[in-house]
Amino acid sequence: MGEGPAKIRLDKWLWHARFFKTRSLSAKLVSGGHCRVNGSPVAKPAFMVGPGDILTFPKERDVRVIRIVAPGERRGPAPEAQALYEDLDPPKPREREPQAPRYEGGGRPTKKDRRALDKSRPSALE
């Protein structure tokens, strides 16, 4: 059969490539209109994609830009899933989020800080 490149549903491909834990989560993202294929917005999870298509979609706090290399036949292990796409704009490493302020006049003291504070105060029993 002289078919062109194999095509697969967008929601299914996102699930196969392990961008989402469940297929319904990937379908929800596409249905919400948050996904673009080759620059055009897509709102149907059944939109067919194939090798060479470029996907743009939000994932956590990043916007992912992916080129589809293969359609995928199953949701396999991570190395198999990573072979399905080429990351055109890899996410930048995030800086660590600032922690709550330590007890240096700000924030709430930890138990260790409270013990040190109690030791530094004169005892009321003396």
Side-chain angles (χ1 to χ4, degrees), residues 26-37:
S26 63
K28 190 181 293 186
L29 174 97
V30 177
S31 296
H34 303 290
C35 194
R36 291 178 175 262
V37 176

Side-chain angles (χ1 to χ4, degrees), residues 61 95-104 106-108 110 113:
R61 294 182 180 181
E95 294 182 20
R96 299 180 90 203
E97 293 189 18
Q99 295 182 350
R102 301 296 294 171
Y103 186 73
E104 291 291 328
R108 184 175 174 173
T110 63
D113 293 334

Side-chain angles (χ1 to χ4, degrees), residues 62-66 86-93:
D62 300 320
V63 174
R64 304 296 302 265
V65 181
I66 305 296
E86 177 186 346
D87 201 347
L88 300 177
D89 188 23
K92 284 95 182 150

Side-chain angles (χ1 to χ4, degrees), residues 107-122:
R108 184 175 174 173
T110 63
K111 191 169 187 176
K112 183 178 179 182
D113 293 334
R114 287 196 312 271
R115 287 180 180 154
L117 192 61
D118 289 343
K119 281 185 182 179
S120 68
R121 290 185 182 157

Side-chain angles (χ1 to χ4, degrees), residues 7-56:
K7 298 259 185 182
I8 187 171
R9 287 174 56 115
L10 177 57
D11 62 334
K12 199 170 185 180
W13 187 88
L14 288 167
W15 178 64
H16 281 194
R18 292 186 160 269
F19 285 109
F20 297 96
K21 264 187 169 179
T22 65
R23 189 166 159 193
S24 62
L25 285 176
S26 63
K28 190 181 293 186
L29 174 97
V30 177
S31 296
H34 303 290
C35 194
R36 291 178 175 262
V37 176
N38 298 326
S40 302
V42 175
K44 294 192 175 197
F47 188 85
M48 301 302 273
V49 295
D53 287 339
I54 296 177
L55 304 180
T56 307

